[in-house]
């Protein structure tokens, strides 16, 4: 299936978990800006060193860095027929950049799906993940800051797609399989 999809949601709503499942089901690559940053941090690249200064504090990595990275990734062959962007665009300026990249090929986003979750539930999930994965940005102070950044910078992205009639909201609370099915319903993919 050809689909150009954006997955939005506060930290801990389940974007990473669900993006992998949806991408497999839809046959498009899941492109997670957070995962690309973390891979670069692990690899000790220059991009990783730049990103880490921001991700560790729960701040957004500067747009010029993130936009260039996404532009390169979307130019790869496997994204020609569709993609699921996880964690991008994360502010209104990144929406404009994505619009420009896609418009150059006469394309646009088909649908933005926002996974919603109560802030206290996501804080609890991420503090649990901290005990399992030890992610540097999963301490309580940083998680709460990431939620504030989401409200201030990313919630307007959802509003923008809503104005365009391209936003679906999906409840991210519940069993992982149930949430996947809600997302597939929102995307218009029939059950198997
Ligand atoms: P991300 O990697 O996008 O981190 P995130 O928002 O916390 O989402 P993540 O995917 O990790 O968590 P998820 O909700 O899936 O970004 C990290 C940082 O990178 C940002 O703070 C920023 O600094 C930088 N960055 C990324 N994109 C950027 C951009 N576009 N511009 C600028 N900077 C950018 O899952 C959380 C946990 O919940 C998991 O442990 C999972 O097991 C659990 N979970 C999932 N679904 C569940 C369910 N249904 N029930 C119970 N638990 C569940």
């Amino acid at each position: 299936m050809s689909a150009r999809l954006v997955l939005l949601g506060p930290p801990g709503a389940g974007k990473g978990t669900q993006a992998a499942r949806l991408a497999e089901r839809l046959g498009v690559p899941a492109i997670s800006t957070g995962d690309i940053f973390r891979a670069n941090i692990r690899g000790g690249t220059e991009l990783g060193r730049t990103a880490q200064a921001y991700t560790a504090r729960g701040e957004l990595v500067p747009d010029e860095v993130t936009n260039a990275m996404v532009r390169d990734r979307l130019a790869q062959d496997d994204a020609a027929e569709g993609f699921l962007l996880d964690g991008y665009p994360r502010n209104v300026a990144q929406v404009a950049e994505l619009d420009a990249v896609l418009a150059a090929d006469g394309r646009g986003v088909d649908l933005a799906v926002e996974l919603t979750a109560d802030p206290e539930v996501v804080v609890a999930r991420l503090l649990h993940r901290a005990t399992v994965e030890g992610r540097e940005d999963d301490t309580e102070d940083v998680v709460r800051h990431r939620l504030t950044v989401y409200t201030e910078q990313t919630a307007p992205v959802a509003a923008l797609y809503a104005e365009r009639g391209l936003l679906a909201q999906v409840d991210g609370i519940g069993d992982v399989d149930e949430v996947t099915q809600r997302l597939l319903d929102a995307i218009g993919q029939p059950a198997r």
Side-chain angles (χ1 to χ4, degrees):
M1 168 183 170
S2 160
R4 289 175 292 274
L5 303 169
V6 164
L7 189 58
L8 303 167
K15 296 185 303 292
T17 307
Q18 297 296 338
R21 292 170 150 241
L22 292 178
E24 197 259 330
R25 176 65 189 265
L26 301 173
V28 296
I31 300 175
S32 160
T33 41
D35 282 352
I36 301 174
F37 288 136
R38 281 186 289 278
N40 277 277
I41 291 169
R42 279 195 301 276
T45 68
E46 193 183 333
L47 172 65
R49 282 190 291 279
T50 303
Q52 191 171 22
Y54 298 91
T55 60
R57 289 187 278 125
E59 297 288 348
L60 296 186
V61 177
D63 286 345
E64 58 271 26
V65 176
T66 309
N67 287 338
M69 184 177 90
V70 172
R71 188 181 276 272
D72 284 352
R73 181 63 189 86
L74 288 177
Q76 290 174 24
D77 288 349
D78 66 339
E81 293 302 319
F83 51 78
L84 175 63
L85 279 168
D86 160 13
Y88 183 95
R90 224 165 173 113
N91 61 27
V92 168
Q94 292 181 8
V95 176
E97 169 71 11
L98 180 61
D99 286 344
V101 168
L102 296 179
D105 293 327
R107 299 179 295 167
V109 166
D110 295 323
L111 188 69
V113 187
E114 183 183 25
L115 260 183
T116 61
D118 179 86
E120 291 313 314
V121 173
V122 304
V123 171
R125 279 185 188 177
L126 294 177
L127 294 183
H128 171 72
R129 181 170 71 184
T131 66
V132 181
E133 293 179 18
R135 235 173 81 171
E136 178 175 42
D137 59 346
D138 280 346
T139 62
E140 181 154 3
D141 285 355
V142 176
V143 166
R144 292 202 184 275
H145 184 62
R146 284 157 60 201
L147 279 166
T148 304
V149 169
Y150 186 82
T151 305
E152 292 176 355
Q153 301 197 45
T154 312
V157 171
L160 222 160
Y161 284 116
E163 275 169 30
R164 297 179 185 181
L166 292 177
L167 184 75
Q169 287 182 309
V170 169
D171 182 1
I173 305 297
D175 179 74
V176 173
D177 286 338
E178 259 173 52
V179 176
T180 305
Q181 192 52 55
R182 284 179 208 145
L183 285 162
L184 289 168
D185 290 345
I187 294 165
Q189 180 79 355
R192 269 205 277 238

